[in-house]
Amino acid sequence: MTVIRDSSNIAVADGTATVKGWVQDIRNLGGISFLTLRDRFGTIQVTMPKKKIDPELFENITKLSRESVISVTGEVKESKQTALGLELIPTAFELYSEAAVPLPMGVIDKVNVEMDTRLNHRFMDLRKPEIKAIFELRSLAVALVNETMQELGFTCVSTPKIVASGAEGGATLFHVDYFGKLAYLAQSPQLYKQILMSTGLDKIYEIGPAFRAEHSNTNRHVTEFTSFDGEMCWIDKEEDVMEMIGKIVDNVLRGLKERGKKQLEILGKDIKVPALPYPVLTYSECLKMVQDAGLKLKEGDDLGTEGEKIVGDIMEEKGFDLYFIAEYPEEAKPFYIMEKDGTPYSFSFDLDYKGQEISSGGQREHRYNELVARMEKKGLNPEDFEFYLDAFKYGMPPHGGWGIGLDRFIVKMLDLPNVREAILFPRDMSRLSP
Ligand code: ATP
């Protein structure tokens, strides 16, 4: 007997097979019954003509509850009526786990289920092929990032997630009781990426969790997200970083389009691969676009969700999905960003994808005195950052980098409505489980 796991690729020399999976559906038509068995590759039809099957076997299979986990052994036959072109006539079956009735939510029912219900029963939600496909694409995206970064000579690193100081502002820090001392969950690997720039590991990247105590419930913010960060030495200007991001994103999009065909087909989506280089707008140009559209923003303000959307719509009309917004006012950016001397601007940028920020980056301040001055200007106490500042005292090359929100990247690529759709078990203000 051949044990097959890939039911979409049944090649059985002796005509028998064992298929393992979930009972998706049973249709009992009196003289004949059909069971649809689902595994990760798709479904196969188990056909049971009552007269040709052992009565006890027929009885036991047809009374199974939906979503029970079984294995069925039987004869494989060609069948023009089934999508797979094959059907299985059972000779034996084994029940591994019986599903309780009723199910908390359906897997194949076409009714719209609220997102909260879906997330409450995520294990069941993920049994839907179109939901599973998102995470298979996400997995492929991570593999492609790793491949691309290795090819480009970056070293993969892991930095601490329990930290003594935050890099991205006090408002979104999660506090941790660390053996009686106050610690935080890392908002980003920023400080450690920069420390590493002083070591000779001069091109590094990390894909890891980032934590932000976001106090608002939006469709683009969660409290735990996955950040793909890169940092590189010896840059002359922030455009060097932008060029690198372009190369990486382009390679990942191309790879997903090519290697994710099956999942994209399940989702009914295509991936557009924009031409390089991605256009660069300045913050000032964007601010004007947004003000012209009626939003009351002033110089120095963050463009915000609405502003980004307005710029996104204008860029979409011009045929651009991905574009940089550069030269942000220094006031709007964190202390580690380099100021553009003699101007209110900075050597920083965001990368926006279809009207939403998915990444920010820039040239960092590598000069010790200037860095300390920027910290003080932002109301931070340099003493709290001694471990970080130390690395700038003894030889720090010019450097720059970025952080891309992987979840947002997937969401925009697939035009999903909410960042939670690309996170297996999302965390937000009101969700701590499952
Ligand atoms: P936003 O203005 O959208 O809140 P941010 O400016 O706070 O984002 P950065 O600190 O620049 O974000 O972080 C870099 C990237 O990390 C963002 O472009 C985004 O893709 C991702 N990111 C940041 N915060 C969140 C969050 N709360 N949930 C999901 N992704 C996030």
Side-chain angles (χ1 to χ4, degrees):
M1 182 204 307
T2 313
V3 177
I4 48 166
R5 307 193 84 104
D6 182 347
S7 53
S8 61
N9 181 24
I10 296 179
V12 209
D14 60 2
T16 65
T18 295
V19 188
K20 300 173 182 183
W22 288 260
V23 175
Q24 181 163 289
D25 193 27
I26 298 179
R27 280 172 302 137
N28 210 335
L29 307 182
I32 189 161
S33 289
F34 302 102
L35 180 152
T36 308
L37 193 66
R38 185 186 68 247
D39 69 5
R40 60 176 290 202
F41 299 100
T43 57
I44 180 167
Q45 180 175 290
V46 179
T47 306
M48 294 167 285
K50 201 168 183 177
K51 286 195 182 136
K52 294 192 185 155
I53 305 257
D54 173 69
E56 203 186 327
L57 181 69
F58 184 89
E59 162 85 18
N60 287 339
I61 295 188
T62 48
K63 73 173 188 219
L64 286 169
S65 54
R66 270 187 183 192
E67 296 304 315
S68 292
V69 176
I70 62 169
S71 82
V72 186
T73 300
E75 198 186 333
V76 180
K77 287 207 161 150
E78 283 189 19
S79 160
K80 290 207 172 70
Q81 278 91 4
T82 67
L84 196 61
L86 295 170
E87 62 185 347
L88 194 65
I89 318 294
T91 50
F93 97 102
E94 192 178 341
L95 175 62
Y96 295 125
S97 164
E98 190 176 0
V101 180
L103 298 172
M105 58 177 277
V107 174
I108 49 167
D109 311 291
K110 289 280 174 258
V111 284
N112 267 343
V113 183
E114 292 280 320
M115 184 172 222
D116 251 354
T117 310
R118 288 178 39 218
L119 293 178
N120 286 341
H121 308 288
R122 194 56 151 166
F123 68 92
M124 191 61 90
D125 189 41
L126 283 158
R127 293 183 190 182
K128 298 179 196 155
E130 69 277 16
I131 304 295
K132 190 161 56 73
I134 297 172
F135 293 95
E136 287 171 348
L137 287 169
R138 190 185 151 121
S139 162
L140 182 55
V142 171
L144 285 158
V145 167
N146 279 309
E147 279 172 29
T148 308
M149 297 309 279
Q150 297 290 330
E151 267 165 32
L152 290 168
F154 281 74
T155 306
C156 179
V157 301
S158 301
T159 61
K161 301 304 160 207
I162 305 175
V163 295
S165 6
E168 318 294 341
T172 61
L173 276 171
F174 276 116
H175 294 197
V176 175
D177 175 358
Y178 195 69
F179 305 110
K181 277 194 209 132
L182 176 61
Y184 307 101
L185 294 182
Q187 296 160 305
S188 77
Q190 187 60 35
L191 305 183
Y192 290 93
K193 280 197 305 177
Q194 289 191 263
I195 292 174
L196 288 171
M197 291 299 95
S198 75
T199 65
L201 288 169
D202 59 5
K203 280 159 108 185
I204 55 120
Y205 77 101
E206 174 168 11
I207 303 173
F211 305 91
R212 308 255 174 122
E214 302 281 359
H215 291 276
S216 57
N217 246 328
T218 74
N219 64 6
R220 55 190 257 167
H221 291 103
V222 279
T223 50
E224 179 177 351
F225 64 96
T226 302
S227 192
F228 158 39
D229 281 83
E231 204 73 23
M232 53 200 262
C233 281
W234 318 118
I235 64 164
D236 294 322
K237 46 192 183 331
E238 81 277 22
E239 280 96 336
D240 297 345
V241 181
M242 289 150 84
E243 196 187 321
M244 182 62 81
I245 296 182
K247 234 187 246 179
I248 297 161
V249 170
D250 183 69
N251 212 35
V252 172
L253 287 178
R254 274 176 205 286
L256 281 161
K257 191 177 170 76
E258 180 59 34
R259 281 150 62 177
K261 273 189 190 135
K262 188 176 161 200
Q263 286 78 8
L264 289 168
E265 203 181 300
I266 290 172
L267 285 162
K269 310 260 177 183
D270 187 22
I271 293 177
K272 273 201 261 161
V273 183
L276 286 174
Y278 303 148
V280 183
L281 303 166
T282 63
Y283 165 84
S284 303
E285 282 171 332
C286 293
L287 185 67
K288 177 143 191 336
M289 287 179 194
V290 170
Q291 286 168 335
D292 288 350
L295 267 198
K296 301 231 172 315
L297 289 187
K298 55 179 189 335
E299 178 75 25
D301 284 346
D302 205 73
L303 295 176
T305 309
E306 264 188 274
E308 285 172 22
K309 172 88 175 54
I310 290 167
V311 176
D313 289 345
I314 294 171
M315 291 307 277
E316 189 190 353
E317 268 178 37
K318 294 184 179 169
F320 298 113
D321 280 354
L322 274 157
Y323 43 90
F324 290 103
I325 303 176
E327 276 188 32
Y328 268 83
E330 64 80 17
E331 178 188 349
K333 288 289 170 184
F335 70 85
Y336 50 79
I337 281 288
M338 188 183 268
E339 291 183 15
K340 202 167 177 179
D341 283 340
T343 76
Y345 301 105
S346 64
F347 292 114
S348 66
F349 60 81
D350 283 355
L351 175 65
D352 282 31
Y353 194 1
K354 301 178 190 172
Q356 189 170 108
E357 177 199 320
I358 59 156
S359 173
S360 51
Q363 175 156 15
R364 319 305 191 187
E365 182 52 77
H366 64 280
R367 299 162 298 180
Y368 180 82
N369 291 336
E370 281 78 354
L371 184 57
V372 170
R374 252 188 89 65
M375 273 182 174
E376 284 167 347
K377 190 164 158 184
K378 296 268 171 192
L380 297 168
N381 181 1
E383 281 175 20
D384 295 339
F385 293 85
E386 227 175 291
F387 71 95
Y388 163 74
L389 285 171
D390 254 6
F392 291 75
K393 280 188 194 161
Y394 306 100
M396 173 63 89
H399 61 275
W402 71 87
I404 296 184
L406 182 72
D407 323 281
R408 281 195 199 170
F409 173 74
I410 299 290
V411 158
K412 296 315 282 183
M413 181 183 80
L414 297 174
D415 297 315
L416 302 172
N418 193 313
V419 70
R420 290 162 185 77
E421 293 286 358
I423 301 175
L424 282 174
F425 301 105
R427 293 283 175 265
D428 59 34
M429 265 177 87
S430 51
R431 183 171 289 282
L432 190 53
S433 80

